Amino acid sequence: MAVKTLRSHIPHLVTAMLLLLGMLTAATTQAQAAPQRLAGSMTICSYSPVPPGWVVTRSAPSGRCAGVAYEYTITELTTQASAGVCSFSPIPPGWVVTRSAPSGRCAGVAYEYTITELTTQASAVVCSFSPIPPGWVVTRSAPSNQCAGVAYEYTIIQLTTQASAVVCSFSPIPPGWVVTRSAPSNKCAGVAYEFTITKA
């Protein structure tokens, strides 16, 4: 009786095994066909687009990119809090330029930048050409000793719980904020006025 029952189940077991084998083969084929994600760093031709989240950390005369003078080393920003990049590198959202210096590794340009990710800090000192992230404002400008190639560096702060702030007249004004006062500036080198902005 037990042998008869086992024999009656064998076709079902074989069918199940074949289905399982087919699913494993399909999954393996799909994984092999999926494009592999770039990681770490790599060298590209200078006319190639730079993927989002990657920066140019070096440029050098090219020996493998016909028609152009340079090739770039690009690096993915993952766990780093800061990085050294060539001055023409894209700056990812949420990162600012905190220093510029004459370049020894970026052929074709004069400067390289140190970029820093704004994460938990509420303020930062950046070069005057740095992008200012949304929600941040410039509260001070001063002659720069860390930003080669420009005259000024800016102190920027993030507007979080404040209802008002005093900013340099060239500062971005975030959406929902208005200028309620202007006065001669004593902390914004290079401009005559500073503004008081208030959250509407």
Side-chain angles (χ1 to χ4, degrees):
M1 183 69 175
V3 172
K4 187 177 180 181
T5 303
L6 181 60
R7 283 179 181 168
S8 69
H9 283 78
I10 286 176
H12 299 294
L13 290 171
V14 170
T15 302
M17 291 297 292
L18 289 173
L19 285 172
L20 181 60
L21 182 61
M23 288 170 34
L24 288 172
T25 303
T28 302
T29 303
Q30 186 176 9
Q32 289 173 344
Q36 296 299 307
R37 184 174 177 273
L38 300 175
S41 64
M42 63 186 309
T43 301
I44 64 172
C45 298
S46 60
Y47 48 71
S48 172
V50 177
W54 291 65
V55 291
V56 181
T57 53
R58 183 176 179 271
S59 67
S62 179
R64 60 180 178 174
C65 297
V68 295
Y70 301 106
E71 60 191 33
Y72 299 158
T73 299
I74 61 172
T75 302
E76 185 180 24
L77 296 174
T78 52
T79 59
Q80 307 97 305
S82 66
V85 304
C86 298
S87 59
F88 53 79
S89 174
I91 309 297
W95 290 69
V96 292
V97 181
T98 53
R99 182 175 181 271
S100 68
S103 180
R105 61 182 177 174
C106 297
V109 295
Y111 300 105
E112 58 190 16
Y113 299 159
T114 298
I115 62 172
T116 303
E117 185 178 20
L118 296 174
T119 52
T120 58
Q121 58 267 58
S123 67
V125 177
V126 304
C127 298
S128 60
F129 51 77
S130 174
I132 308 297
W136 291 69
V137 292
V138 181
T139 57
R140 181 176 179 271
S141 67
S144 179
N145 58 9
Q146 64 180 7
C147 298
V150 295
Y152 300 107
E153 60 193 33
Y154 299 159
T155 298
I156 62 173
I157 67 165
Q158 185 177 26
L159 294 175
T160 52
T161 59
Q162 306 96 308
S164 67
V166 178
V167 304
C168 297
S169 59
F170 53 79
S171 174
I173 309 297
W177 290 71
V178 293
V179 178
T180 53
R181 182 176 179 271
S182 70
S185 179
N186 58 9
K187 62 179 181 178
C188 297
V191 295
Y193 298 101
E194 59 193 31
F195 296 158
T196 299
I197 61 172
T198 304
K199 194 169 186 178

